[in-house]
Amino acid sequence: MTETPEPGTHFGFETVPEHEKAGRVRGVFTSVAAKYDLMNDAMSLGIHRLWKDALLDWLAPRPGTRLLDVAGGTGDVAFRFLDRVKGEGHVTVLDMTEHMLVEGRARAEARAHGAAIDWVTGDAMALPFADATFDAYTISFGIRNVTRIEEALAEAFRVLKPGGRLLVLEFSRVPNDGLRRLYDLYSFNVIPPLGQALAGDRASYQYLVESIRRFPDQERFAAMIRAVGFDLVKYRNLSMGIAALHSAWKI
């Protein structure tokens, strides 16, 4: 009897068996956890902070909102959310990498946010929560690292309450050819050496740059969100399409 070959998936520009990707991604983020926020500032010249502010602007959370922030290990979105609702809300931060959550917990204690945040180690493709638990689901720069994106989106739909909101912030495709070439030159020639200089890890940042290029463009990703049942799917380009913010509702 012939065995069915295991499906492959991408890890940056490399093709790997599906069962290997999660472990490799966990290895990347374990390696970069201690310097993750420093590297985000260095790579984006601090612009990632404006993008995350734009996510919260569009979410416009109200006091009492229960938020699930996936791949939110160091707490950037969680802290912004709690500031917006003046502490009158709750965040569950889920991340597959324990080292990222350790960094986030330490930051939360320094900010006195501890009681309003739960920190959970888990998989975006198999969320350890009941159906219809959360009012909102956010994921920032994490969906492209998921092995099967469609399964993560379906899980987001499942755990949201009716009327719940999905917001995805992710690197995307710059539509202008000339600007895209300049962005590629910067990404491949500056970011990996910067990772080596600041975090002592060139390979992890090479993967992060490559993973951006393998992620679906804005229209294809919007179609994937619709395919799992979400309605009112829209997106906004940020910084000329370097990143995009996708919004959808569970009606």
Side-chain angles (χ1 to χ4, degrees), residues 46-168:
I47 295 171
H48 76 99
R49 298 174 182 272
L50 301 179
W51 294 338
K52 290 168 183 171
D53 286 341
L55 182 153
L56 269 298
D57 288 344
W58 206 4
L59 180 61
R62 294 177 294 183
T65 297
R66 291 184 58 84
L67 171 68
L68 173 62
D69 184 41
V70 174
T74 59
D76 261 8
V77 170
F79 302 147
R80 283 171 168 78
F81 166 80
L82 291 172
D83 288 343
R84 296 291 179 106
V85 298
K86 298 180 170 38
E88 296 181 23
H90 191 275
V91 190
T92 299
V93 176
L94 179 135
D95 203 290
M96 70 183 299
T97 306
E98 179 62 29
H99 285 73
M100 295 287 281
L101 294 171
V102 168
E103 294 292 322
R105 287 191 196 99
R107 294 177 70 196
E109 289 171 7
R111 293 165 177 253
H113 279 324
I117 308 178
D118 292 329
W119 305 89
V120 178
T121 305
D123 186 344
M125 297 188 301
L127 296 173
F129 310 114
D131 296 358
T133 298
F134 298 98
D135 302 300
Y137 173 117
T138 54
I139 181 167
S140 301
F141 307 118
I143 195 77
R144 75 181 189 281
N145 298 311
V146 174
T147 303
R148 292 184 294 278
I149 293 171
E150 296 88 343
E151 291 186 19
L153 292 172
E155 279 289 271
F157 188 85
R158 179 184 67 80
V159 301
L160 280 170
K161 299 175 183 177
R165 181 93 176 273
L166 169 75
L167 277 168
V168 181

Side-chain angles (χ1 to χ4, degrees), residues 170-218:
E170 188 53 86
F171 292 110
S172 200
R173 181 176 175 83
V174 177
N176 180 280
D177 289 342
L179 288 174
R180 187 165 62 250
R181 284 192 290 271
L182 288 173
Y183 176 49
D184 285 347
L185 282 171
Y186 169 78
S187 297
F188 286 98
N189 292 289
V190 175
I191 291 177
L194 198 61
Q196 180 62 43
L198 295 182
D201 188 347
R202 182 187 183 102
S204 291
Y205 287 93
Q206 183 73 30
Y207 158 73
L208 293 174
V209 169
E210 292 176 0
S211 68
I212 293 167
R213 273 69 189 176
R214 298 300 297 267
F215 189 70
D217 65 21
Q218 291 89 324

Side-chain angles (χ1 to χ4, degrees), residues 17-29:
E18 279 195 349
H19 78 274
E20 288 186 11
K21 181 168 180 175
R24 289 199 181 199
V25 170
R26 190 179 299 111
V28 166
F29 286 95

